[in-house]
Amino acid sequence: MQIQDLPYPDPGMPDARSGPRFLWWLFRNQLAGQLKSLAWGLLHFASVAALPFCVGVAVQAVVDRSGTGLALAGGLLALACVGNAVGDTFLHRTAITNWITAAARVQQLLARKAAHLGSALTRRVAAGEVVAVSTGDVEKIGWFVEALSRFTAALVTIVLVCVGLLVYQPALGVVVAVGLPALALAVLPLLPRATRRADTQREKAGRATELASDTVAGLRVLRGIGGEELFLDRYRSASQEVRHAAVRSARMWSLISAIQVLLPGLLLIAVVWYGVRLAREGRITVGELVTVYSSVMVLTYPLRHFEEIAMAYSFSRPSAKRAAGVLSLQRPTDTAGSRAADVPSGDLYDPQTGLLAPAGRLTAVVCGDPDAAGLLAERLGGHPSQEGTSVLLGGVPLDELPLDSARTAVLVQDKDPVLLSGTLRGLLDVPASGAVQPDQALAAAQCDDVLAALVQGSLDATDPMDARITERGRSLSGGQRQRLALARSLITDPEALVLDEPTSAVDSHTEARIAQGVRELRDGRTTVVFTSSPLLLDRADRVVFLHDGEAVAVGAHRDLVRSEPRYRAVVTRETDDEAAPNGSVALNDVLHELEEIEEKA
């Protein structure tokens, strides 16, 4: 896999049982790239390690006054330099390729998992953690996967040089062969503490990121209640904790780096002292002494990769653990699409509650518990947050359909829809049947004032479709965001559309017009609206009242207001004390309000 070939046609099924298993899975799936990196790394490090031998041959040729030996040394030196340049160039190329492709694979896996889980993802994992995994953690994972092949090349080179020195000059070779492993292993006792400090730093950074994202998301509300400075102070405190943790972690890694500099220096001193004694005794030549000394000095370069791999693993291990934690999440009910990839049609039925939404009709659902209503809406769309009986569409269990088919058949708009930044044209460019045009959907959702506001707030756009929407639509009011989201849902024209409180932030007169527009535009299509608004309920073909998780009453809105006290209490917001003496008064008020709004609408 090359960078120009990204994205992967299929990133594969990861081993997400643990962080190390996930890293090993990534390494195995990039074996060809890792072998290329290893080969070029061996050429690079071997060429670097050969330089001292060439210098030793040249020094000995000068001592012996041998022109042939000097020419041979020059040729070997030129060959080593060419190998060093070529190896270093292609090692860097393959290493970066491995890094980027590994990171891209993880990002594809995370994106696929997010699409697979849908809204259940943020219910089970904090949004800040998802952001941390898909940004910083991805880079750290790619770093370790890439560094592993370079470390292997450095390790093989060190072993070969030690063996070569033992053969070339046994007396000094023994010192080097014993000293180099000691250098490599000297920092091992410090790694657990360094890893713990790095883990603490990342945990605090993750909490600070989550706090920052939550603060930014709720900034308008915080300013409204005067809580902006309070949350900013909390973020400042969290940021300082991250700084202190980063300093503690940096101290440990700087100590490890200092040891990696100190110990090779001590080894060089030992080699020179012992080598000079051997040279005085005539047991080695000057060229051999120079060769061994230069080899030890040059080997400090591949030895640095021991520190790098330790640092890369300590940083990537918790990152891989977090990524594996997200990738191991599963939908509560998932049969991997045991049925054919067809889009069924017919009645939408939930066996768990007894809710039935007849095909081609507008069904309103009233539930006293908003949280229970939200969970039921997700279940109707095939996004259950817990195990249970599957919802049926035309008698076909949604859980047995391939995920794409289930989501094509049933679309759920939750009570807090998200508007992505970009132009309005891009926002409304969604997979759709083509039967509903954007202007029809915008008209049904009563977006005329929203379009005017977008043009007015834009500097260079005269067409509302070219006007830009800020991140999450924060420049719009809650009601404007709701109406644009409703228009987007209407454009898709799914077989069944589930709307959870689509007009909770809209005034009553606009709400009445939206109810009529949705009814007309969705004529002949199955629509389910979760609401307690009398205006929407009065436009529905049938109303289902849920109590304690069961459908206990079905009928027209006006009939249920008269006959079902529990339904009337939810719709009119009556308390238990008010329900008995004022029931008839509340009923008359509701009916009178409906008549007035119908006349004005």
Side-chain angles (χ1 to χ4, degrees), residues 169-176 266-285 289 292-293:
Q169 178 44 251
L172 286 176
V174 170
V175 177
V176 176
L266 296 178
L267 179 61
L268 280 174
I269 294 173
V271 168
V272 171
W273 175 78
Y274 187 53
V276 169
R277 288 189 56 186
L278 294 178
R280 286 180 175 179
E281 296 172 2
R283 296 167 58 183
I284 64 171
T285 64
L289 175 59
V292 175
Y293 169 79

Side-chain angles (χ1 to χ4, degrees), residues 233-461:
D233 287 341
R234 290 181 181 178
Y235 178 73
R236 291 189 188 100
S237 177
S239 178
Q240 289 302 311
E241 290 182 6
V242 174
R243 184 179 68 85
H244 290 308
V247 170
R248 282 174 51 82
S249 178
R251 285 173 180 169
M252 185 55 63
W253 287 112
S254 63
L255 176 60
I256 292 175
S257 299
I259 292 175
Q260 292 280 30
V261 173
L262 174 63
L263 295 184
L266 296 178
L267 179 61
L268 280 174
I269 294 173
V271 168
V272 171
W273 175 78
Y274 187 53
V276 169
R277 288 189 56 186
L278 294 178
R280 286 180 175 179
E281 296 172 2
R283 296 167 58 183
I284 64 171
T285 64
V286 175
E288 291 173 338
L289 175 59
V290 172
T291 299
V292 175
Y293 169 79
S294 302
S295 297
V296 174
M297 184 173 63
V298 169
L299 284 179
T300 57
Y301 168 57
L303 273 175
R304 300 290 296 182
H305 288 75
F306 284 76
E307 176 190 351
E308 182 188 6
I309 196 65
M311 184 180 294
Y313 180 71
S314 68
F315 276 85
S316 66
R317 183 181 57 80
S319 297
K321 180 181 179 181
R322 282 196 293 266
V326 174
L327 295 175
S328 63
L329 297 175
Q330 297 294 332
R331 298 174 69 224
T333 54
D334 191 357
T335 60
S338 56
R339 288 180 177 263
D342 298 325
V343 179
S345 61
D347 297 343
L348 186 64
Y349 176 65
D350 177 32
Q352 187 168 328
T353 60
L355 170 63
L356 173 65
R361 301 180 68 183
L362 173 59
T363 301
V365 181
V366 176
C367 183
D369 184 356
D371 293 333
L375 294 175
L376 176 56
E378 291 184 351
R379 192 162 68 249
L380 289 177
H383 313 288
S385 58
Q386 56 190 1
E387 293 186 4
T389 306
S390 174
V391 170
L392 307 178
L393 179 62
V396 178
L398 288 180
D399 293 343
E400 297 181 7
L401 290 173
L403 195 58
D404 291 344
S405 299
R407 292 182 175 174
T408 301
V410 184
L411 173 67
V412 178
Q413 176 182 304
D414 61 26
K415 65 182 64 178
D416 187 22
V418 175
L419 301 183
L420 302 179
S421 59
T423 64
L424 179 58
R425 193 186 310 278
L427 176 72
L428 302 180
D429 185 14
V430 293
S433 66
V436 178
Q437 299 303 313
D439 57 340
Q440 295 176 293
L442 291 168
Q446 300 298 310
C447 292
D448 292 343
D449 64 316
V450 184
L451 302 181
L454 288 174
V455 172
Q456 185 177 2
S458 178
L459 297 177
D460 54 357

Side-chain angles (χ1 to χ4, degrees), residues 121-206:
L121 176 61
T122 51
R123 291 181 180 272
R124 301 166 69 178
V125 181
E129 184 171 352
V130 176
V131 173
V133 170
S134 58
T135 52
D137 285 342
V138 165
E139 294 186 5
K140 294 179 178 67
I141 291 171
W143 176 28
F144 174 74
V145 173
E146 171 272 319
L148 196 55
S149 57
R150 289 190 292 113
F151 164 73
T152 304
L155 177 61
V156 171
T157 301
I158 290 174
V159 172
L160 291 178
V161 169
C162 289
V163 173
L165 289 177
L166 285 173
V167 174
Y168 177 70
Q169 178 44 251
L172 286 176
V174 170
V175 177
V176 176
V178 172
L180 284 178
L183 295 182
L185 300 176
V187 297
L188 286 181
L190 299 177
L191 290 180
R193 182 178 298 179
T195 301
R196 286 194 299 270
R197 291 189 179 185
D199 291 347
T200 301
Q201 175 194 347
R202 279 185 292 276
E203 290 175 3
K204 291 182 180 295

